[in-house]
Each structure stands twice: as C-alpha cells, then as structure tokens.
Amino acid sequence: MEKRWSVKVKPGDEAIQKLSTELNIDPVLSALLLQRDIHDFEGARSFFRPEIHQLHDPFLMKDMEKAILRIEQAFANGEKIMVYGDYDVDGTTSVAVVYSFFKKYYPKLDYYIPDRYKEGYGISTQGIDFAAENGFSLIIALDCGIKSVDKIAYANTLGIDFIICDHHTPGDEIPDAVAVLDPKRADCEYPYKELSGCGIGFKLIQAYAQKNDIPFEELQSYFELVAISIACDIVHITGENRVLAYFGLQQLNSNPCIGVKTLMLAAGRTENYTISDIVFMIGPRINAAGRIDDAKHAVELLIACDDSVAAAKGAMINERNIERKEHDLNITDAALSMIDSDVMMIGRKSTVVFNENWHKGVIGIVASRLTEKYYRPTIVLTRSNGHVAGSARSVLGFDLYEALCGCSDLLLQFGGHKYAAGLTMAPENVEAFSQRFEEVVSATITDEMLIQQISIDAEVKLKQIDAKFFRVLNQFAPFGPENMSPVFITKNVYVSGSAGLVGANHIKMTVIQEGSPAFDCIAFNQGEHLAKLSKGIPFDICYTIEENVWREKRSIQLNIKGIKTY
C-alpha cells in the first residue's frame, strides 16, 4: 500500500542557526530540537542529560496529602490494605511497585487483580465484595477508578475507603473517594499531565518516602517497572516520563530485578533494550498472563525475590505467551480470509469481523493487525458471557469514539478514546451494527485519512550523517510518542553496487548521494520497489538512522520507511 509522505514545517533559519552555534551541532539537529520546543543550551542540556532532580514534588498533585494521611492512619490502626490494579502491563507494574514498596514497612497488605473475563476492566463489584468479606478497609486502586463513581459509592456503604491513582481522563463527576490522584483532573495543578498509571503509583510511594524520611535511593529500584509501563501504555515520552524512562532503561539494562531479568531471558536478550524492545519483547509476555490465564501471575513474577519462584513463573508466562501467539496468528489468518473472500467487505471504508469462537484475550491485537493491513477503522468481535464483545482500532485523524457514539443505540456498553475502544452488544445486533458503523465511518472519514502517512522530520544530505551527527542523534533517546525516532528524507540517491531481496520481502542495498560515503540500508516489506532500483537511476528515500552490529563490527545503517522512484 502506497504511503503519504508528510514533511513537518521547518523552524525558522535564524532560530536554527542560533541554536547550532550555541550547541556546536548540525543545523538539522538544531531543527529537531526546536520542533521539540527546545530553544537554548539549558533546555538542550536538560533534554540530553536527564537528572533525578527534574522529577516534580509529588505533593503538587491534588489529594496527595489526603492519600498519605489515610495510608499512615491505616498503618497506625493495623487495618488491612488491598492494592488493586488492572490486568494489563500498566496495571500489573503499578501493583508490583506499590505493593512491594509498602510491604517493606507494613505486613497487612495484599493485592487484587480483576479477572479479565468475569469482572472486566476497572474496579468491580466482585473485587469490592471480596475486600469486604476479607476485612480490607482501604483499597489503593491503580490505573483505574476515575470513572467508577457508582462502585466507589457502593464501597462507601460497606465502610471501605478508596485511594484512586489513575491517569485516564475523568468524567463529569469525580468519585467520592478519600483521595483521587489524577493529573488530568481539571482542578489538579500538577505540572505534568501524561504519567502512566504506574507513574502515579510511583508518585504515591515517592510522597510517602518524602514525608517519612525514607532515602530516595530506596525508590530507584522501581524505575525499571515504571519505564516498562511508560513503554507499553504508549504514553508521551516527554517531561517527567522521559526522566523516568531514561533512568528505568539504565537500570533494566544494567541491574534488572529478578522478574524482569527472567522475562528478558525468555525473550532471548538481556541487554541494550530500547523503549521499542520493551513494547515488543517484554510487554506481550506480561500481558499474556491476563489475556490467557490470570494477571496475578505477572504480579507474582514482578515482585519475586527468589530465583526459583521467578524461573517457574517466568516459564509459565512464556508458555501463555506462546498460546497467545497461536491464537493471534490463527484469528488473524481467519479474519484476513474472511475479508479477502468478500467483495463487499473489500470495498468498505471500515472493517467489522465476527466469529463467536475467537479468543477474547487477543482480539485487540488482531484489530491492530487488520488496521495495519487495510488501514481503515477496524472492529473485531467475539462471543463473551452471552454477549458479543469487541475491540476497535482507528487510523490517524479519525475519531473512533465519536463513530461509536453514532452507533450507541445498538450497543450495551462502550468506552475508550480516539484511536482504541472496547464495546459489547446483544448478538442479534451484530449485522445492524456492522452496517451502521460503515455508514458512520463513510460519512465522516476523508480519503486522505485512509492513506497511511509517514511523518518526516527533516531533509538531510547523506554527507551530513557522520559519527558526531549520529552520536548527538542517539542522545534524543529514549524514543516514543511525542519524541519519536526522527525520520529523514534524502533526495536523489543512487544504488551503489546492487540491491537485492533478503527474507520474504525485504530490500538490502547500499546507497550513495553525490559527494557522500555509501550507507547500508534495509527496507522491510518493500520488495515491490526492487525492479525500479537500478544503478544510476535516482530516487528519494525516507528513513530512520540506526546502528547495525554484525560480528562485533558497528556501522550506521538506514532503516528505509519509504522509497519514491521518478
């Protein structure tokens, strides 16, 4: 599928030159900094060299004082405390951080993860009833709870207090909890709004440590779990998140906890992890526990202090991940066949596929794969607890949540945001919903939105990419949302030698530009361009710059994202 190239607006030449002179770096790198709202030496130093002191005072968060007072009261009164978290990576890392920290100082503590299939997302009546039956009088809810107004009201009738630590956008009403920690509250003046759920949990333990004279060094062992949550929950890697991710990656790559090290061994690599590596190698394994079995296994692994316990839990979670992959592959293949054999479906601007036997735990992954393949709003549906449950994914610029609002009369429940959502409906409504969703999408999506876009940061000549350029570029990491690995465009390059296919459909080649050295390139899944890449014929490329290590020899490699021939 041909992709649309979109080049970002270049900052003003005067500002670029000023910053280049101040920092003694290539103007292209200065332009990248200006695009990230970095305008001077001090801003660049803070960006390139994150420091612990850049973390904000946790007591700037609304209700933090109330939360700490209630925890201290529970400790003083010998109350039982439940640490409650969601079943995904952000939720399980949150529980692992808060539970393992407070367990050092207080024994009457346990944790609870809701069952994905029986209880669903967020705070459940079943979880509250379990707390009441077992004598818990305080629940610390992590990565959920901001919209659980009715559930918190129910808990209050049972004499159970809640501290909510959430990072999702609140509804019109804030739950009546003892404390509600959420920087996205309209009345919260906390300076950084994009923390993960685990990040909010970290701020809670930071506040407790600060008030009780516990050295900050005791908190630093939790950075790696916060970094894993930041990576896997796809939150912005800016501001405070960037500091947490930077130090979390350092720890993960030098001295990971037993549980994380077990996951790294299962993934087949124990060093040089990036944010992207966490997303693709560690995250799926943690998630697999809750998708296929019980997410409590993930928490047990992440808090493990014993090698043999970690090894046993890690092996089991890895098995669940293998099962998850099999379900994922089988359902994706079945869905692709379903679409490709139906002329009506191929011509649509949306995709809705349903099979009552598909595994609910992986339909979100399948929805993402189908969106990648056909690049249009996609919903994958299956049977669950007598209803039909679905997972939805969108394309850049299209508001999926708004589209579902246009189908709300056919749904029992739905929730999410612009690019991802979940929904349930009665089985008899599947056909009507599929038709309505297509009508809503067709009426509101533009043709441009249906063409995948490559966002390009800057144009560069190949001769500019030298060792210093690459060294400075590496300091832009860790990369992720709002600080993605820069994509460059270079025009009029030529194949040096020959280009050939490797693997199934990948192009391997060396390119040059007038006056430049030659650069090795890899272009994944772009074999269709090969016939046009002849020696002496110019073409344009857009790419990221990375390091390639082969037999201990390191070199700069261009990872080609797009090729345009004339």
Side-chain angles (χ1 to χ4, degrees):
M1 185 187 289
E2 198 63 39
K3 295 179 182 177
R4 186 163 45 95
W5 294 19
S6 172
V7 183
K8 290 178 185 174
V9 175
K10 184 184 172 188
D13 288 338
E14 194 177 322
I16 291 173
Q17 196 51 56
K18 179 176 175 291
L19 193 57
S20 288
T21 303
E22 203 173 334
L23 300 177
N24 188 27
I25 59 172
D26 189 287
V28 168
L29 297 167
S30 294
L32 295 178
L33 287 170
L34 289 163
Q35 286 171 347
R36 286 156 175 76
D37 205 25
I38 295 160
H39 300 271
D40 54 28
F41 181 88
E42 269 311 304
R45 190 174 66 80
S46 294
F47 180 72
F48 287 142
R49 304 271 188 280
E51 293 180 37
I52 297 293
H53 71 75
Q54 292 169 349
L55 298 177
H56 301 301
D57 180 349
F59 286 101
L60 294 173
M61 198 176 293
K62 186 171 179 65
D63 280 4
M64 185 63 82
E65 190 74 50
K66 291 179 185 174
I68 299 305
L69 283 171
R70 183 63 185 89
I71 290 167
E72 289 174 339
Q73 181 191 335
F75 285 8
N77 294 339
E79 298 175 58
K80 285 180 76 176
I81 302 173
M82 175 192 283
V83 181
Y84 185 112
D86 190 26
Y87 42 67
D88 67 1
V89 175
D90 195 14
T92 50
T93 52
S94 301
V95 169
V97 165
V98 173
Y99 173 81
S100 54
F101 173 79
F102 283 125
K103 194 72 174 174
K104 290 181 191 174
Y105 305 100
Y106 186 70
K108 294 184 178 179
L109 199 69
D110 210 340
Y111 58 87
Y112 185 96
I113 307 283
D115 185 287
R116 184 184 205 110
Y117 304 107
K118 294 175 186 165
E119 297 169 75
Y121 166 78
I123 294 164
S124 67
T125 305
Q126 192 174 320
I128 294 168
D129 288 341
F130 178 87
E133 288 158 15
N134 290 278
F136 291 94
S137 53
L138 176 61
I139 297 177
I140 301 172
L142 297 150
D143 190 35
C144 60
I146 195 64
K147 290 189 177 176
S148 302
V149 175
D150 295 344
K151 300 288 196 304
I152 303 304
Y154 173 62
N156 288 340
T157 67
L158 300 174
I160 296 171
D161 286 341
F162 262 88
I163 293 169
I164 293 171
C165 304
D166 205 350
H167 69 126
H168 297 100
T169 304
D172 296 332
E173 188 181 346
I174 299 292
D176 184 22
V178 167
V180 179
L181 308 177
D182 188 337
K184 292 195 175 85
R185 285 179 64 164
D187 57 354
C188 181
E189 295 180 0
Y190 191 73
Y192 189 70
K193 304 293 183 184
E194 304 300 331
L195 291 167
S196 63
C198 188
I200 309 284
F202 180 82
K203 299 312 289 189
L204 180 72
I205 68 169
Q206 185 189 355
Y208 182 86
Q210 200 168 300
K211 191 172 176 198
N212 290 276
D213 299 321
I214 295 167
F216 188 83
E217 289 70 36
E218 296 218 8
L219 305 179
Q220 289 177 262
S221 61
Y222 301 108
F223 280 160
E224 65 181 323
L225 293 181
V226 181
I228 290 169
S229 80
I230 287 168
C232 297
D233 222 54
I234 323 292
V235 294
H236 295 177
I237 301 196
T238 55
E240 194 166 28
N241 276 347
R242 192 164 186 277
V243 179
L244 291 164
Y246 178 87
F247 287 105
L249 279 170
Q250 274 191 1
Q251 187 190 337
L252 186 140
N253 284 311
S254 60
N255 186 29
C257 69
I258 294 170
V260 172
K261 189 170 186 179
T262 303
L263 291 170
M264 293 163 82
L265 286 166
R269 201 168 102 208
T270 55
E271 57 186 12
N272 298 325
Y273 272 73
T274 64
I275 290 292
S276 179
D277 294 330
I278 291 173
V279 171
F280 292 106
M281 298 168 80
I282 294 177
R285 287 176 165 81
I286 296 174
N287 261 333
R291 289 186 190 282
I292 305 298
D293 190 354
D294 189 334
K296 283 178 189 164
H297 297 307
V299 177
E300 286 166 6
L301 174 64
L302 296 174
I303 65 174
C305 299
D306 180 270
D307 282 331
S308 59
V309 171
K313 283 288 167 195
M316 191 193 71
I317 284 173
N318 209 45
E319 281 172 27
R320 297 294 171 271
N321 191 48
I322 292 165
E323 279 180 58
R324 188 269 308 164
K325 280 182 182 172
E326 286 173 5
H327 286 300
D328 172 7
L329 191 65
N330 293 338
I331 295 171
T332 301
D333 285 348
L336 289 171
S337 298
M338 200 181 284
I339 296 162
D340 290 341
S341 62
D342 187 327
V343 177
M344 291 283 287
M345 284 185 82
I346 290 170
R348 287 186 163 203
K349 292 188 175 178
S350 70
T351 298
V352 180
V353 286
F354 169 59
N355 183 308
E356 62 178 24
N357 298 315
W358 285 342
H359 196 293
K360 189 188 170 195
V362 299
I363 58 174
I365 303 169
V366 175
S368 294
R369 294 197 195 287
L370 297 182
T371 306
E372 221 172 83
K373 166 84 173 170
Y374 298 103
Y375 207 69
R376 59 198 188 194
T378 298
I379 299 176
V380 179
L381 302 167
T382 189
R383 281 297 280 260
S384 176
N385 295 330
H387 299 308
V388 169
S391 206
R393 297 292 182 270
S394 193
V395 295
L396 187 66
F398 185 76
D399 196 325
L400 182 66
Y401 186 82
E402 281 298 312
L404 291 175
C405 288
C407 310
S408 58
D409 57 306
L410 296 169
L411 300 173
L412 295 170
Q413 199 180 349
F414 70 99
H417 50 80
K418 188 172 182 176
Y419 293 118
L423 57 148
T424 56
M425 70 185 82
E428 60 270 22
N429 284 349
V430 170
E431 203 168 312
F433 170 79
S434 178
Q435 192 57 44
R436 175 86 65 80
F437 185 68
E438 170 64 15
E439 288 166 10
V440 172
V441 172
S442 296
T444 51
I445 202 164
T446 65
D447 290 341
E448 195 176 60
M449 285 179 199
L450 290 165
I451 302 170
Q452 196 165 357
Q453 176 181 298
I454 301 173
S455 182
I456 297 166
D457 294 85
E459 184 173 348
V460 68
K461 303 280 189 191
L462 289 185
K463 64 184 177 187
Q464 290 173 262
I465 306 170
D466 57 15
K468 181 184 175 184
F469 185 99
F470 185 59
R471 192 169 63 249
V472 176
L473 185 65
N474 274 342
Q475 292 175 50
F476 280 70
F479 296 118
E482 300 302 308
N483 184 44
M484 299 301 285
S485 182
V487 176
F488 300 101
I489 181 173
T490 300
K491 296 177 178 176
N492 291 307
V493 301
Y494 300 84
V495 170
S496 171
S498 62
L501 277 187
V502 293
N505 189 35
H506 316 312
I507 299 174
K508 189 106 172 109
M509 61 181 169
T510 305
V511 300
I512 55 168
Q513 192 183 30
E514 196 174 328
S516 83
F519 284 88
D520 290 336
C521 305
I522 184 74
F524 292 106
N525 297 308
Q526 295 181 64
E528 71 275 11
H529 294 294
L530 185 62
K532 298 177 187 174
L533 301 179
S534 305
K535 195 171 181 181
I537 306 294
F539 55 97
D540 300 345
I541 54 173
C542 62
Y543 54 89
T544 56
I545 304 171
E546 58 190 28
E547 186 175 55
N548 185 42
V549 182
W550 174 249
R551 292 179 177 166
E552 297 186 9
K553 186 188 172 191
R554 295 173 184 272
S555 61
I556 295 172
Q557 176 175 269
L558 310 184
N559 188 329
I560 307 288
K561 303 298 176 185
I563 297 169
K564 277 189 179 174
T565 51
Y566 303 123

